[in-house]
Amino acid sequence: MNGCTLRIANWQNDSGALRAIREAVFIHEQAIPPELEWDEIDANCIHVLAMDSAGKPIGTARLSSDGSIGRMAVLKDWRGKGVGSALVQCLLGEAWSRQIKQIGLNAQTYAVGFYLKFGFQQVGEEFLDAAIPHVRMVLRLSTENV
């Protein structure tokens, strides 16, 4: 992950940067309607923000209080460079430090292999969310995967 840094962010102070990434990836690139992207739980989530060496936001993900990872987005030019893996690792560490024992997420089906690398397992059948195929995945946290 050359030229990139991560930090814990919060919605109150960092919503502009977090929104910019999610708008680029979800609303513009994946054509998700804005009313499906924004929800009331953003203000209560732990967000992680990835930035390039110039401080420009390039990736984000969030962890909700119930142990769900969501809204993971990396700008197109930064995909395949370890940013997504760093975001997941950071949120797994945050979950561990908060004694959250099980993490869940709804993965777009093309990304299942990415999450399998961290030990997530698929549970249930494929479903549509915002007209995009997803599967539910879960991970029991242990010292091996944090």
Side-chain angles (χ1 to χ4, degrees):
M1 204 177 74
N2 297 341
C4 176
T5 58
L6 292 180
R7 70 173 173 84
I8 298 301
N10 70 63
W11 193 253
Q12 290 75 18
N13 298 329
D14 300 301
S15 63
L18 301 169
R19 288 176 75 87
I21 297 163
R22 288 168 48 184
E23 284 176 5
V25 173
F26 297 128
I27 295 171
H28 298 298
E29 190 178 324
Q30 296 184 352
I32 293 173
E35 61 272 14
L36 296 180
E37 175 55 26
W38 310 117
D39 60 31
E40 67 283 350
I41 71 167
D42 271 319
N44 299 315
C45 288
I46 298 160
H47 296 267
V48 61
L49 179 63
M51 296 166 292
D52 68 11
S53 59
K56 179 183 174 226
I58 60 170
T60 187
R62 73 181 188 187
L63 176 68
S64 63
S65 59
D66 70 355
S68 293
I69 290 177
R71 302 306 202 266
M72 187 159 133
V74 175
L75 296 180
K76 196 172 195 171
D77 289 346
W78 284 87
R79 292 183 198 146
K81 298 180 179 179
V83 177
S85 292
L87 291 168
V88 171
Q89 286 292 82
C90 183
L91 288 180
L92 292 178
E94 286 297 315
W96 182 260
S97 71
R98 288 167 168 71
Q99 300 180 342
I100 298 171
K101 300 299 183 202
Q102 182 167 296
I103 300 296
L105 58 85
N106 294 333
Q108 292 185 10
T109 54
Y110 79 87
V112 167
F114 171 80
Y115 292 109
L116 289 172
K117 295 185 301 185
F118 297 95
F120 283 90
Q121 297 297 312
Q122 181 178 335
V123 294
E125 299 298 316
E126 185 177 287
F127 62 93
L128 291 178
D129 185 5
I132 298 170
H134 284 73
V135 294
R136 183 75 181 155
M137 301 187 81
V138 296
L139 172 67
R140 286 259 332 136
L141 288 181
S142 68
T143 54
E144 290 91 47
N145 51 29
V146 176

